[in-house]
Protein backbone atom coordinates (compact mmCIF):
# COMPACT_ATOMS: atom_id res chain seq x y z
CA UNK A 1 0.00 0.00 0.00
CA UNK A 2 1.34 3.38 -1.03
CA UNK A 3 -0.49 6.30 0.54
CA UNK A 4 0.09 10.00 0.00
CA UNK A 5 -0.54 12.45 2.82
CA UNK A 6 -0.75 15.86 1.22
CA UNK A 7 -0.90 17.68 4.57
CA UNK A 8 -1.86 21.36 4.01
CA UNK A 9 -0.90 21.54 0.35
CA UNK A 10 -2.86 22.05 -2.90
CA UNK A 11 -6.19 23.66 -3.73
CA UNK A 12 -8.99 22.05 -5.80
CA UNK A 13 -7.55 23.14 -9.17
CA UNK A 14 -4.11 21.81 -8.22
CA UNK A 15 -5.75 18.59 -7.06
CA UNK A 16 -7.43 18.08 -10.43
CA UNK A 17 -4.13 18.80 -12.21
CA UNK A 18 -2.32 16.26 -10.03
CA UNK A 19 -4.76 13.47 -10.89
CA UNK A 20 -4.67 14.28 -14.57
CA UNK A 21 -0.92 13.66 -14.56
CA UNK A 22 -0.83 10.89 -11.94
CA UNK A 23 -3.74 8.56 -12.78
CA UNK A 24 -2.52 7.49 -16.26
CA UNK A 25 0.98 6.59 -15.06
CA UNK A 26 -0.27 4.32 -12.28
CA UNK A 27 -3.16 2.82 -14.27
CA UNK A 28 -1.30 -0.46 -14.82
CA UNK A 29 -0.27 -0.82 -11.20
CA UNK A 30 -2.38 -3.69 -9.96
CA UNK A 31 -0.30 -4.89 -7.02
CA UNK A 32 -0.37 -1.83 -4.83
CA UNK A 33 -3.27 -0.21 -3.06
CA UNK A 34 -2.88 3.49 -3.86
CA UNK A 35 -4.40 6.11 -1.56
CA UNK A 36 -4.32 9.91 -1.61
CA UNK A 37 -5.30 11.96 1.45
CA UNK A 38 -5.82 15.59 0.38
CA UNK A 39 -7.03 18.50 2.54
CA UNK A 40 -10.78 18.24 3.23
CA UNK A 41 -11.78 20.94 0.73
CA UNK A 42 -10.18 18.96 -2.12
CA UNK A 43 -11.95 15.68 -1.39
CA UNK A 44 -14.79 16.19 -3.92
CA UNK A 45 -12.23 17.02 -6.65
CA UNK A 46 -10.08 14.03 -5.71
CA UNK A 47 -13.00 11.60 -5.54
CA UNK A 48 -14.27 12.74 -8.94
CA UNK A 49 -10.80 12.47 -10.48
CA UNK A 50 -10.18 9.01 -8.97
CA UNK A 51 -13.46 7.58 -10.26
CA UNK A 52 -12.85 4.51 -12.44
CA UNK A 53 -9.26 4.25 -11.18
CA UNK A 54 -7.80 2.05 -8.45
CA UNK A 55 -6.87 5.10 -6.38
CA UNK A 56 -8.62 5.40 -3.03
CA UNK A 57 -9.22 8.73 -1.28
CA UNK A 58 -8.87 9.44 2.41
CA UNK A 59 -9.19 12.23 4.95
CA UNK A 60 -6.26 13.40 7.06
CA UNK A 61 -8.21 13.54 10.31
CA UNK A 62 -11.76 13.29 11.66
CA UNK A 63 -13.74 14.07 14.79
CA UNK A 64 -15.20 11.16 16.76
CA UNK A 65 -18.80 12.35 16.96
CA UNK A 66 -21.16 12.10 14.01
CA UNK A 67 -22.48 15.67 14.08
CA UNK A 68 -23.04 18.56 16.44
CA UNK A 69 -21.86 22.00 17.49
CA UNK A 70 -18.13 21.38 16.94
CA UNK A 71 -16.96 24.27 14.81
CA UNK A 72 -14.32 23.33 12.28
CA UNK A 73 -14.64 19.57 12.68
CA UNK A 74 -15.50 16.88 10.11
CA UNK A 75 -17.04 13.51 11.00
CA UNK A 76 -16.59 9.97 9.73
CA UNK A 77 -20.06 9.81 8.10
CA UNK A 78 -19.29 13.07 6.29
CA UNK A 79 -16.01 11.70 4.94
CA UNK A 80 -17.71 8.51 3.90
CA UNK A 81 -20.56 10.35 2.17
CA UNK A 82 -17.98 12.46 0.34
CA UNK A 83 -16.47 9.29 -1.13
CA UNK A 84 -13.56 8.55 1.22
CA UNK A 85 -12.62 4.99 2.12
CA UNK A 86 -9.65 5.86 4.32
CA UNK A 87 -8.68 8.30 7.04
CA UNK A 88 -5.38 9.08 8.75
CA UNK A 89 -5.64 9.11 12.54
CA UNK A 90 -3.12 10.40 15.09
CA UNK A 91 -0.52 11.81 12.72
CA UNK A 92 2.41 13.21 14.72
CA UNK A 93 1.60 16.71 13.45
CA UNK A 94 -1.89 16.36 14.92
CA UNK A 95 -0.37 15.14 18.17
CA UNK A 96 2.22 17.95 18.22
CA UNK A 97 0.19 20.98 17.10
CA UNK A 98 -3.42 20.03 17.86
CA UNK A 99 -3.20 18.26 21.21
CA UNK A 100 -4.11 14.85 19.86
CA UNK A 101 -3.59 12.15 22.51
CA UNK A 102 -3.61 8.36 22.49
CA UNK A 103 -7.10 8.59 23.99
CA UNK A 104 -8.46 10.74 21.15
CA UNK A 105 -6.66 8.51 18.64
CA UNK A 106 -8.59 5.53 19.96
CA UNK A 107 -11.92 7.39 19.84
CA UNK A 108 -11.29 8.60 16.28
CA UNK A 109 -10.20 5.13 15.17
CA UNK A 110 -13.41 3.63 16.53
CA UNK A 111 -15.50 6.37 14.90
CA UNK A 112 -13.82 5.72 11.54
CA UNK A 113 -14.55 1.99 11.79
CA UNK A 114 -18.20 2.63 12.63
CA UNK A 115 -18.50 4.42 9.29
CA UNK A 116 -16.63 1.69 7.40
CA UNK A 117 -13.61 3.92 6.81
CA UNK A 118 -10.22 2.25 7.14
CA UNK A 119 -8.18 4.19 9.69
CA UNK A 120 -4.44 4.54 9.12
CA UNK A 121 -3.31 4.90 12.73
CA UNK A 122 0.04 6.67 13.13
CA UNK A 123 2.63 6.02 15.81
CA UNK A 124 6.28 7.00 16.09
CA UNK A 125 8.97 8.31 18.38
CA UNK A 126 10.70 11.70 18.47
CA UNK A 127 14.40 12.35 18.10
CA UNK A 128 15.04 12.55 21.84
CA UNK A 129 13.24 9.25 22.37
CA UNK A 130 15.31 7.63 19.65
CA UNK A 131 18.59 9.02 20.99
CA UNK A 132 17.87 8.09 24.59
CA UNK A 133 16.88 4.55 23.65
CA UNK A 134 13.20 5.11 24.49
CA UNK A 135 11.77 4.19 21.06
CA UNK A 136 10.19 0.92 22.19
CA UNK A 137 8.75 2.52 25.34
CA UNK A 138 7.11 5.26 23.27
CA UNK A 139 5.68 2.80 20.76
CA UNK A 140 4.46 0.55 23.58
CA UNK A 141 2.66 3.49 25.24
CA UNK A 142 1.11 4.70 21.96
CA UNK A 143 -0.04 1.17 21.20
CA UNK A 144 -1.44 0.64 24.70
CA UNK A 145 -3.34 3.95 24.73
CA UNK A 146 -4.36 4.32 21.10
CA UNK A 147 -4.78 0.82 19.69
CA UNK A 148 -4.99 -1.91 22.35
CA UNK A 149 -8.49 -0.77 23.36
CA UNK A 150 -9.92 -1.96 20.02
CA UNK A 151 -11.76 -5.28 19.85
CA UNK A 152 -10.17 -8.02 17.73
CA UNK A 153 -12.79 -7.40 15.04
CA UNK A 154 -12.04 -3.69 15.02
CA UNK A 155 -8.29 -4.25 14.99
CA UNK A 156 -8.56 -6.51 11.95
CA UNK A 157 -9.83 -3.53 9.95
CA UNK A 158 -7.11 -0.97 10.69
CA UNK A 159 -3.79 -0.13 9.09
CA UNK A 160 -0.85 1.10 11.19
CA UNK A 161 1.73 3.64 10.04
CA UNK A 162 5.09 3.82 11.80
CA UNK A 163 6.39 7.36 11.32
CA UNK A 164 9.48 8.29 13.34
CA UNK A 165 9.06 12.05 13.89
CA UNK A 166 12.74 12.76 13.29
CA UNK A 167 12.39 11.35 9.77
CA UNK A 168 9.34 13.40 8.77
CA UNK A 169 10.12 16.19 6.31
CA UNK A 170 13.79 16.10 7.28
CA UNK A 171 15.24 14.03 4.46
CA UNK A 172 16.57 11.69 7.18
CA UNK A 173 14.88 8.40 6.36
CA UNK A 174 15.15 5.58 8.84
CA UNK A 175 17.41 2.92 7.35
CA UNK A 176 15.48 -0.12 6.14
CA UNK A 177 16.94 -2.06 9.09
CA UNK A 178 15.84 0.59 11.63
CA UNK A 179 12.36 0.75 10.18
CA UNK A 180 12.11 -3.04 10.03
CA UNK A 181 13.14 -3.30 13.69
CA UNK A 182 10.38 -0.88 14.72
CA UNK A 183 7.83 -2.69 12.54
CA UNK A 184 8.89 -6.01 14.05
CA UNK A 185 8.47 -4.57 17.53
CA UNK A 186 5.00 -3.22 16.67
CA UNK A 187 4.07 -6.61 15.26
CA UNK A 188 5.15 -8.26 18.51
CA UNK A 189 2.88 -5.85 20.43
CA UNK A 190 0.03 -6.79 18.09
CA UNK A 191 0.75 -10.48 18.67
CA UNK A 192 0.65 -10.04 22.44
CA UNK A 193 -2.63 -8.15 22.36
CA UNK A 194 -4.57 -9.58 19.42
CA UNK A 195 -2.88 -12.91 18.65
CA UNK A 196 -0.37 -14.20 16.13
CA UNK A 197 -2.78 -14.28 13.19
CA UNK A 198 -3.50 -10.58 13.69
CA UNK A 199 0.24 -9.88 13.90
CA UNK A 200 0.81 -11.64 10.59
CA UNK A 201 -2.13 -9.90 8.90
CA UNK A 202 -1.74 -6.31 10.10
CA UNK A 203 -0.51 -3.93 7.44
CA UNK A 204 2.23 -1.63 8.78
CA UNK A 205 3.30 1.30 6.60
CA UNK A 206 6.54 3.22 7.03
CA UNK A 207 6.50 7.01 6.81
CA UNK A 208 9.27 9.60 6.99
CA UNK A 209 11.14 11.03 3.98
CA UNK A 210 10.12 8.23 1.63
CA UNK A 211 11.38 9.10 -1.86
CA UNK A 212 11.67 7.34 -5.24
CA UNK A 213 15.29 6.48 -4.44
CA UNK A 214 14.70 4.81 -1.07
CA UNK A 215 11.33 3.08 -1.51
CA UNK A 216 12.81 -0.12 -2.91
CA UNK A 217 15.12 -0.72 0.04
CA UNK A 218 12.32 -0.09 2.52
CA UNK A 219 9.84 -2.33 0.71
CA UNK A 220 12.41 -5.13 0.55
CA UNK A 221 11.91 -5.58 4.30
CA UNK A 222 9.29 -8.27 4.90
CA UNK A 223 7.84 -6.36 7.88
CA UNK A 224 7.27 -3.19 5.82
CA UNK A 225 3.97 -3.46 3.98
CA UNK A 226 3.82 -0.05 2.40
CA UNK A 227 4.56 3.62 2.84
CA UNK A 228 2.85 6.80 3.96
CA UNK A 229 4.43 9.54 1.90
CA UNK A 230 4.32 13.28 2.57
CA UNK A 231 6.40 15.65 0.44
CA UNK A 232 7.13 13.20 -2.36
CA UNK A 233 3.41 12.49 -2.86
CA UNK A 234 2.75 16.08 -3.98
CA UNK A 235 4.50 15.68 -7.30
CA UNK A 236 2.76 13.28 -9.71
CA UNK A 237 6.00 12.00 -11.23
CA UNK A 238 7.69 11.34 -7.91
CA UNK A 239 4.67 9.67 -6.31
CA UNK A 240 4.17 7.57 -9.45
CA UNK A 241 7.83 6.50 -9.23
CA UNK A 242 7.21 5.44 -5.62
CA UNK A 243 4.02 3.57 -6.50
CA UNK A 244 5.72 1.83 -9.44
CA UNK A 245 8.98 1.16 -7.58
P1 LIG B 1 7.51 13.27 4.49
O1 LIG B 1 7.41 12.15 3.49
O2 LIG B 1 7.39 14.61 3.89
O3 LIG B 1 8.73 13.11 5.37
O4 LIG B 1 6.23 13.13 5.46
C1 LIG B 1 5.94 11.90 6.02
C2 LIG B 1 4.60 11.96 6.67
O5 LIG B 1 4.42 12.62 7.67
C3 LIG B 1 3.50 11.25 6.01
O6 LIG B 1 2.36 11.22 6.82
Amino acid sequence: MLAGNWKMYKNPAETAAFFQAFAPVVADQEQAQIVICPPFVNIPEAVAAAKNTRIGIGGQDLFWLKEGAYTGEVSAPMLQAAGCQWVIVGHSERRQYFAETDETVLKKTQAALESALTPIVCVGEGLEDRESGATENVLRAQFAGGIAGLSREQFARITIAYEPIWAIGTGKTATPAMAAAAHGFLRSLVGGQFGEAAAADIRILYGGSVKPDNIKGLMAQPDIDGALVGGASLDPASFAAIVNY
Side-chain angles (χ1 to χ4, degrees):
M1 172 170 170
L2 286 316
N5 172 12
W6 281 2
K7 308 191 179 186
M8 198 172 72
Y9 290 99
K10 296 195 193 291
N11 62 30
E14 291 162 341
T15 298
F18 173 93
F19 277 89
Q20 211 160 40
F22 178 70
V25 278
V26 297
D28 295 334
Q29 179 50 258
E30 286 174 358
Q31 283 177 292
Q33 169 70 60
I34 308 167
V35 176
I36 302 268
C37 302
F40 290 139
V41 293
N42 301 339
I43 286 172
E45 225 78 21
V47 166
K51 208 172 169 201
N52 302 321
T53 74
R54 297 181 62 259
I55 306 166
I57 304 301
Q60 296 176 12
D61 183 33
L62 76 164
F63 189 54
W64 57 81
L65 296 177
K66 291 188 168 71
E67 62 180 8
Y70 301 100
T71 301
E73 294 299 306
V74 170
S75 71
M78 291 171 185
L79 289 174
Q80 199 207 18
C84 291
Q85 297 149 293
W86 306 83
V87 64
I88 298 170
V89 179
H91 191 279
S92 60
E93 288 148 18
R94 301 286 326 162
R95 294 176 187 256
Q96 184 180 352
Y97 305 123
F98 305 101
E100 195 100 7
T101 64
D102 294 327
E103 192 187 348
T104 62
V105 168
L106 179 61
K107 284 166 116 167
K108 290 180 175 195
T109 300
Q110 288 170 326
L113 291 169
E114 261 181 53
S115 284
L117 295 169
T118 301
I120 302 170
V121 183
C122 302
V123 295
E125 81 287 357
L127 184 60
E128 271 183 33
D129 307 321
R130 168 65 59 174
E131 287 179 341
S132 67
T135 295
E136 293 193 351
N137 286 342
V138 169
L139 295 179
R140 191 182 289 110
Q142 290 175 339
F143 183 85
I147 296 175
L150 298 172
S151 69
R152 278 183 191 231
E153 293 69 31
Q154 288 173 326
F155 181 79
R157 294 165 47 214
I158 77 166
T159 293
I160 293 176
Y162 167 64
E163 298 207 312
I165 297 166
W166 49 270
I168 295 178
T170 58
K172 279 198 240 166
T173 326
T175 63
M178 277 163 105
H183 284 221
F185 178 70
L186 285 166
R187 227 176 267 284
S188 74
L189 294 176
V190 172
Q193 181 71 29
F194 298 106
E196 288 314 312
D201 287 349
I202 181 69
R203 187 147 58 173
I204 307 180
L205 314 181
Y206 167 79
S209 296
V210 173
K211 308 285 177 215
D213 63 3
N214 59 29
I215 182 69
K216 216 169 178 167
L218 290 162
M219 294 302 288
Q221 301 290 326
D223 266 335
I224 300 182
D225 305 310
L228 183 54
V229 184
S233 73
L234 294 168
D235 175 63
S238 87
F239 194 45
I242 289 170
V243 167
N244 292 326
Y245 75 91

